[in-house]
Amino acid sequence: MIISYFEEFPDYKSLSKIKSITTPTKLYIAARSLAEFNQLKTQIRSKNVREIIYWPILEKKEGYWISPFSHHTALKRILDELNGQTISVMLDLELPTTRNPWLFLTQFPFFYSNKLRISNFIDTYNGKLYLCEYYGQRSIHKKIFRILGLHYYAPHAYIIKMYYQSIHQFSHQFLEDQIKRGKHTWGNNFILALGTIAKGIHGTEPRLTPEELAKNLNEAKRHDIEEVIIFRLGGIDEEYNKVLNAI
């Protein structure tokens, strides 16, 4: 099982944490443009990093995450610059609920064209593609997410489900059931995201204890999950490193 990391706020301090990672890993790096991502990649020097994935984000006023409610010009800008590229890309499919809820009104006329733009990108992109989604894997969840443009039929893509126990306070039995369901549905294309061990864009995300992280990682390992992503790299410290080195 490979343990990877999101980094939502890549800077010298957060990216330098990669030096403490002693096993093969992958990094998902947030950036507002392809040029910014390429510049950040030059700061990452570690023989243990096997893959660096571009995680495109928008300005807060544009919706920040990718969805049919993102500002239509921003969505076009971020996807068009990936035309012809083959780098690994992760689309973070979330609603702009907290970043700019006015977009639900102002972008509603563009909902279907935005949804089609995202769908076409997913269908035609030539590089490795990761889709990061809300958790919830029952048929009703998939239908709702598909209607909202937060889930797409993409058998070639890797599906990342965010199970942040520190935020949602679900039980370990729930997590185990969801791991089994995800593995059954997507096989080795299913990726588990765990956390949080550092604050994200909301600024209020509670930290998962090292003990809880260890339980979550061991559960994933027990069910032969090939990749787990931890949110986020900048939260790595001595306590978390002890857990990671013991897996």
Side-chain angles (χ1 to χ4, degrees), residues 67-131:
S67 83
F69 290 102
S70 302
H71 196 281
H72 65 285
T73 57
L75 187 64
K76 184 177 187 300
R77 180 188 74 237
I78 209 78
L79 296 183
D80 280 1
E81 72 170 356
L82 286 166
N83 283 340
Q85 299 290 329
T86 57
I87 63 169
S88 298
V89 173
M90 182 191 80
L91 298 186
D92 191 355
L93 299 168
E94 301 185 54
L95 296 171
T97 312
T98 57
R99 297 302 91 202
N100 184 359
W102 284 107
L103 290 170
F104 288 111
L105 292 176
T106 63
Q107 299 309 299
F108 183 75
F110 304 98
F111 176 87
Y112 288 106
S113 60
N114 281 351
K115 186 176 178 181
L116 182 62
R117 185 181 299 279
I118 296 169
S119 180
N120 286 342
F121 174 81
I122 291 171
D123 288 343
T124 61
Y125 187 63
N126 291 321
K128 189 183 290 187
L129 187 62
Y130 299 82
L131 302 178

Side-chain angles (χ1 to χ4, degrees), residues 133-134 136-138 142 146 151-155 157-161 163 178-191:
E133 304 178 352
Y134 295 122
Q137 298 174 16
R138 297 187 182 278
K142 289 182 184 178
R146 191 163 289 170
H151 175 74
Y152 297 85
Y153 178 72
Y158 292 87
I159 305 299
I160 303 167
K161 289 290 186 177
Y163 288 97
Q178 292 296 295
I179 290 173
K180 290 178 181 177
R181 190 182 294 272
K183 185 77 172 180
H184 175 75
T185 304
W186 292 290
N188 290 334
N189 280 20
F190 174 64
I191 299 176

Side-chain angles (χ1 to χ4, degrees), residues 156-175:
H156 61 292
Y158 292 87
I159 305 299
I160 303 167
K161 289 290 186 177
M162 298 178 284
Y163 288 97
Y164 297 156
Q165 191 176 28
S166 65
I167 296 174
H168 301 292
Q169 301 294 313
F170 46 73
S171 68
H172 283 283
Q173 183 60 56
F174 175 82
L175 180 61

